[in-house]
Amino acid sequence: MSVAPTQARVRKTGDLVRLKWTIAGATDHVGQVIPTLSYTAKLDLKILSVSALAKPARFPERFTGKGHFLRRKSAKGFPKS
């Protein structure tokens, strides 16, 4: 899939972080355009859980996922910004 970096809107309320972003104009491995997708992710920093939702524009379907994550003790291995 080919897509350029995009910006997300971020809102933090207590231990809950909500991120929203949209990807439009992406292409798959054979060059076909993928429908515009709107994403929402919620991170609960207290219980270390994450849930995500992807909604294609002009389609009724929704794709969801959820799970848990571990906090890293250091930033070693991450690219420097």
Side-chain angles (χ1 to χ4, degrees), residues 3-78:
V3 66
T6 188
Q7 290 194 333
R9 293 182 308 267
V10 180
R11 186 174 72 202
K12 184 172 187 230
T13 307
D15 289 324
L16 186 65
V17 179
R18 181 186 303 228
L19 299 101
K20 288 186 166 204
W21 70 99
T22 300
I23 297 178
T27 57
D28 66 12
H29 69 286
V30 294
Q32 286 190 306
V33 175
I34 297 169
T36 297
L37 288 161
S38 295
Y39 295 90
T40 301
K42 295 178 188 175
L43 306 171
D44 188 321
L45 303 175
K46 186 174 185 177
I47 63 171
L48 303 180
S49 69
V50 60
S51 63
L53 167 90
K55 169 81 175 76
R58 300 180 309 278
F59 291 94
E61 293 87 355
R62 293 172 165 236
F63 304 95
T64 61
K66 61 183 176 178
H68 287 84
F69 59 91
L70 300 172
R71 288 185 202 239
R72 290 181 69 124
K73 292 187 168 68
S74 76
K76 185 177 180 182
F78 282 101

